[in-house]
Amino acid sequence: MPRRGLILQTRTHWLLLGLALLCSLVLFLYLLECAPQTDGNAPLPGIIGENYGKEYYQALLQEQEEHYQTRATSLKRQIAQLKQELQEMSEKMRSLQERKNVGPNGIGYQGNKEQTPSDLLEFLHSQIDKAEVSIGAKLPSEYGVIPFESFTLMKVFQLEMGLTRHPEEKPVRKDKRDELVEVIEAGLEVINNPDEDEEQEDEDGPLGEKMIFNENDFVEGYYRTERDKGTQYELFFKKADLMEYRHVTLFRPFGPLMKVKSEMIDITRSIINIIVPLAERTEAFAQFMQNFSESNFHNYTLVSLNEEFNRGQGLNVGARAWDKGEVLMFFCDVDIYFSAEFLNSCRLNAEPGKKVFYPVVFSLYNPAIVYASQDIPPPVEQQLVHKKDSGFWRDFGFGMTCQYRSDFLTIGGFDMEVKGWGGEDVHLYRKYLHGDLIVIRTPVPGLFHLWHEKRCADELTPEQYRMCIQSKAMNEASHSHLGMLVFREEIETHLHKQAYRTKSEAVG
């Protein structure tokens, strides 16, 4: 993180001095080459007593002409080199001046200086160009994805309650890292190079020099975002040998909404191939087909494989079984419930050669626990609600996806080295993240994962069995419902005491 202020001023002075010296050198070389040569000891042609013919003078003139042509060529080459050096130094000085006035992302720290509307408009357009709007960004892993949040007229579906969040974490996403680095650098710029009209006492170091703060002097900061206004930052800096803190407040205002594009999308002729890999699970398949039939789907194709089950292989075969050209595919599982509106979301958010859709599924908890107060759980259709105690956004799952067949084949399909169930979806997801397609990642209201019992096999190692039980607990019930199960005996004892006390008071 460069220190500006004094360092920039020193560099600017040296650059100006260098420019002056180079200009002087060019002028000196020019005068030197243009001046006539004099040599007091050289004989002068044409002196009386010497006999020179016409050929002698022609040869002499030719020699002098070649000499001056050579010198002129050399001088032109030196002048060109000096001009190039002057241009490079001018560009360096301009770059240093821009770095002094402009932040890393093109935001000028100009205090209250006025900016023209054209400059602001140019900056806003540059922000759109930097964002993942028109072309996908190559990302290192699934943790670098910036997810969308979906909403309706009355509701917002967000991932803030997802299970992958931690109370303390490093800023994995690049946009978050860049934001914090820029904010700290802007705070240092404000401290080290205050505006002339700011009333601020100059602090001197132990040797009387100007005190310069750096990133190591940053203590802590706070930020909050009002989505219709901007982001506020409170930064605190402190030198190790001083008692005083330096406090800087920054605000990043949001710009106005800008139209990127407006288009008509016709989905009436968009066919979706729903591909479901299956091994056993006949009861779940019957439920799936019942839901499927209620949505007025009647065209089914069964592809049988006589081999050990492999989810990726099943989906690969299903994708390649279609021989009628381009088609939109929805990779689904037998324990997934989806609505017709969700299929429209698939059509709207996938585009061949441009976008793939990775919706976040809402995973339902065990209905026997969620609806323990009822005699029997309600029908599946009545369980499809987005509540904290009914389920959670399965933001660590990437198995449900909508993408075009051409994109799937171009990227190489699933990794066949992954055996059994699970893992192949993450590998495919990462392939898209490493490419140029835009990955649309967002929770959607019309996609549910139905609860089913998870069995932890006896042949698992103790560590594997423990992890299996943890996964089972995660999908079993909410935190509050699991707590009720843990403290069931304590709750029942309390209820018995309350009932006994009430009965005693009634008798007495």
Side-chain angles (χ1 to χ4, degrees), residues 240-253:
D241 53 349
L242 296 178
M243 294 298 296
E244 296 83 4
Y245 285 79
R246 297 297 300 272
H247 175 209
V248 176
T249 299
L250 301 175
F251 193 81
R252 187 196 303 273

Side-chain angles (χ1 to χ4, degrees), residues 289-298 337-340 343:
M289 292 305 296
Q290 180 181 349
N291 301 335
F292 201 68
S293 301
E294 290 176 359
S295 301
N296 295 322
F297 293 99
H298 304 289
Y337 184 101
F338 59 87
S339 64
L343 295 180

Side-chain angles (χ1 to χ4, degrees), residues 116-143:
T116 63
S118 60
D119 291 337
L120 292 175
L121 189 62
E122 181 180 356
F123 166 70
L124 293 173
H125 279 293
S126 70
Q127 291 296 84
I128 293 179
D129 293 338
K130 295 175 185 176
E132 193 180 358
V133 174
S134 301
I135 186 172
K138 295 183 178 181
L139 304 173
S141 70
E142 63 272 20
Y143 300 103

Side-chain angles (χ1 to χ4, degrees), residues 89 100 218 298 338 387 410-411 468 481-482:
M89 295 187 70
K100 180 179 180 182
F218 176 69
H298 304 289
F338 59 87
K387 293 183 178 180
T410 299
I411 210 165
C468 182
H481 278 156
L482 288 176

Side-chain angles (χ1 to χ4, degrees), residues 429-441:
Y429 185 63
R430 288 172 178 170
K431 284 184 181 181
Y432 283 114
L433 297 182
H434 297 161
D436 294 327
L437 297 187
I438 298 175
V439 177
I440 305 296
R441 180 70 168 163

